[in-house]
């Protein structure tokens, strides 16, 4: 099993930036790609970004492309998501996820999930 714990969420004004953290523990040698999703009230969980185990390949959703950066350290096992130029529409619970394979955009492609961290963007 892999345990994921997110942090770094909070309240930020529109136009600001935020850096989210996700610490992985447990059987991390099984981990492949790491990803960030978010879920706003009343909406489906949405893919944002993913990064491969080696960190040399990334994928971004159109909704954050150009203003988000995903990165990871494998020692310790941490994945980061920097989002700039935040908008009220970015308000959501942000989740970290891990799988045992390659980059993917669907929820079903990820085996492990954190509990989420709330991000609220005020206008």
């Amino acid at each position: 099993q892999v345990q994921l714990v997110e942090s770094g969420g909070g309240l930020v004004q529109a136009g600001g930036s935020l850096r989210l953290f996700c610490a992985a523990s447990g059987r991390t040698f099984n981990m492949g790609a790491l990803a960030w999703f978010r879920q706003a009230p009343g909406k489906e969980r949405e893919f944002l970004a993913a990064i491969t185990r080696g960190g040399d390949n990334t994928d971004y959703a159109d909704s954050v492309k150009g203003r988000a950066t995903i990165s990871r350290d494998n020692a310790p096992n941490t994945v980061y998501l920097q989002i700039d130029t935040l908008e009220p529409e970015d308000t959501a619970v942000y989740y970290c996820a891990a799988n045992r394979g390659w980059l993917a955009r669907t929820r079903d492609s990820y085996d492990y999930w954190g509990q989420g961290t709330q991000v609220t963007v005020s206008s």
Side-chain angles (χ1 to χ4, degrees):
Q1 287 286 358
V2 172
Q3 293 80 43
L4 302 171
V5 179
E6 302 94 337
S7 61
L11 177 64
V12 63
Q13 287 190 333
S17 299
L18 209 59
R19 194 180 198 206
L20 303 179
F21 305 82
C22 175
S25 60
R27 301 173 71 85
T28 58
F29 59 87
N30 274 341
M31 287 196 314
L34 285 163
W36 286 94
F37 287 71
R38 69 184 178 190
Q39 189 164 15
K43 294 189 176 181
E44 296 289 319
R45 194 167 296 189
E46 171 193 17
F47 167 79
L48 296 178
I51 187 167
T52 51
R53 183 180 180 87
D56 49 348
N57 287 279
T58 57
D59 184 28
Y60 293 93
D62 288 344
S63 58
V64 296
K65 190 176 291 183
R67 62 187 185 99
T69 303
I70 188 170
S71 57
R72 70 188 285 176
D73 288 326
N74 286 331
N77 288 292
T78 305
V79 62
Y80 311 90
L81 183 69
Q82 170 89 22
I83 308 179
D84 301 318
T85 320
L86 285 160
E87 305 164 352
E89 292 74 25
D90 294 315
T91 295
V93 177
Y94 284 67
Y95 295 92
C96 174
N99 67 18
R100 289 169 283 188
W102 191 247
L103 300 176
R105 292 188 168 204
T106 61
R107 290 182 63 175
D108 291 347
S109 300
Y110 290 87
D111 307 294
Y112 309 104
W113 291 85
Q115 293 300 307
T117 184
Q118 175 71 46
V119 172
T120 303
V121 183
S122 64
S123 57

